[in-house]
Amino acid sequence: MTGSGVSPSLRSNSWIPYAGLLVLFWGVWGAFSALPTKLYSYPDPMIYVVWALTMIIPAWVSLRGKRFDRGRTAAGYGLLIGLTGAGGQLLLFKALTIGPAYVIFPIVALSPAITVLMAFGLLRERLGALSWTGVVLALVAVVLFSVSTGESGDNGWFYLLLAVLVCVAWGVQAFYMRKAAVAGVDDASTFGWMTISGLVLIPVALLMMGGLPLDFPWQAPALTAGTQILNAVGALFLVMAMSRGKASIVAPVTNALAPVLTIVLSLLVFGAQPSVFQVTGIVLALAGSTLMVYRAEKSSEAVPT
């Protein structure tokens, strides 16, 4: 026992409840996030607006009793992280209105490939066999998804392109999250700037719709808020898990297990029938994601800061 009365094993495992909640919240959100559009034809830019507003709640919780870092470094990294994340959300909501979640989320889960390649190209980090294996699996998975959309017409290629763009945006976001942490920016301030970035892009969403649509039943924004609060709170659980556990363990959970739950729920609840190419692509995408994140984060933790 330590002087505080908490054993090292309990302290080291304190991230597990938050990671479990993260998988639950993001997994359920991913499966049901497109319901407002499918049931009420609610515009995807409006879903973004509601999501940006729900981010205020976990931001307030994370910053309560803490100092919000308004310095140039924190603001620069925070806005860059926030804008790439929010921009990815805006594209993701569009993709989910025209494509299946069980295909889109495994592609998004490949974002560590972008992070790994940026670290290799910009920071000259050495990549091990696991990282390169993960990159190869990611590329094969994207090819398989491309083949599987051949029968879906133009929309199939379009949602695939949007999913890849979200993957790129969130890969860049993760890269600069790592740099922000090394620069000493605390998680609460980063999350606060992420929330501000999401709110800043609300006018862009409104311009995409040509104004604020008010002719929808109340159930549409209510259902949207109910699903997107899962997204926003899940992001807070990510911050809490990362601050308590090793990134080499937490990151694979966030990039692999949450999409797995989304896939399972999508298949069970909506009775989807993925093709052989899609099933193979899903498996390779999740495997590649886990390998890349595990190797990249383990390497980064081996270097003292």
Side-chain angles (χ1 to χ4, degrees), residues 41-50 90 202-214 216:
S41 299
Y42 207 45
D44 49 272
M46 197 61 205
I47 296 177
Y48 173 87
V49 172
V50 175
L90 194 57
I202 285 181
V204 176
L206 294 177
L207 286 175
M208 292 172 62
M209 295 182 292
L212 183 64
L214 300 175
F216 288 91

Side-chain angles (χ1 to χ4, degrees), residues 19-272:
L21 288 170
L22 163 65
V23 171
L24 176 63
F25 274 60
W26 272 2
V28 175
W29 157 69
F32 296 98
S33 60
L35 279 182
T37 299
K38 296 183 183 301
L39 296 179
Y40 303 104
S41 299
Y42 207 45
D44 49 272
M46 197 61 205
I47 296 177
Y48 173 87
V49 172
V50 175
W51 165 77
L53 294 175
T54 61
M55 284 285 287
I56 296 175
I57 299 173
W60 176 80
V61 172
S62 66
L63 287 167
R64 186 176 55 180
K66 299 180 181 179
R67 185 183 69 87
F68 180 48
D69 191 346
R70 299 180 178 85
R72 182 176 300 178
T73 300
Y77 279 121
L79 289 174
L80 181 58
I81 293 167
L83 290 174
T84 51
Q89 289 281 359
L90 194 57
L91 296 176
L92 176 63
F93 295 143
K94 178 63 177 178
L96 288 171
T97 63
I98 58 177
Y102 64 82
V103 170
I104 292 171
F105 277 94
I107 295 176
V108 174
L110 294 173
S111 60
I114 306 302
T115 306
V116 168
L117 292 176
M118 288 184 68
F120 175 73
L122 300 179
L123 302 181
R124 301 295 184 226
E125 290 187 3
R126 296 180 60 186
L127 302 184
L130 288 179
S131 294
W132 285 118
T133 301
V135 171
V136 171
L137 291 178
L139 294 175
V140 174
V142 171
V143 171
L144 289 174
F145 286 130
S146 301
V147 172
S148 71
T149 59
E151 301 175 357
S152 303
D154 293 338
N155 277 348
W157 287 102
F158 188 49
Y159 80 71
L160 180 64
L161 174 62
L162 291 176
V164 170
L165 291 176
V166 176
C167 172
V168 172
W170 288 1
V172 173
Q173 180 193 43
F175 175 79
Y176 284 103
M177 274 187 177
R178 290 172 57 186
K179 295 199 68 175
V182 172
V185 182
D186 65 278
D187 291 335
S189 295
T190 297
F191 194 86
W193 285 111
M194 288 170 62
T195 302
I196 292 173
S197 302
L199 296 173
V200 165
L201 289 183
I202 285 181
V204 176
L206 294 177
L207 286 175
M208 292 172 62
M209 295 182 292
L212 183 64
L214 300 175
D215 54 346
F216 288 91
W218 66 268
Q219 292 91 338
L223 180 58
T224 302
T227 53
Q228 294 308 318
I229 193 65
L230 297 175
N231 183 5
V233 175
L236 178 58
F237 286 139
L238 172 62
V239 172
M240 298 173 75
M242 284 290 192
S243 66
R244 290 166 171 78
K246 292 183 178 181
S248 60
I249 300 175
V250 178
V253 170
T254 64
N255 283 274
L257 293 187
V260 166
L261 181 56
T262 293
I263 294 166
V264 171
L265 289 175
S266 297
L267 298 181
L268 291 179
V269 176
F270 301 109

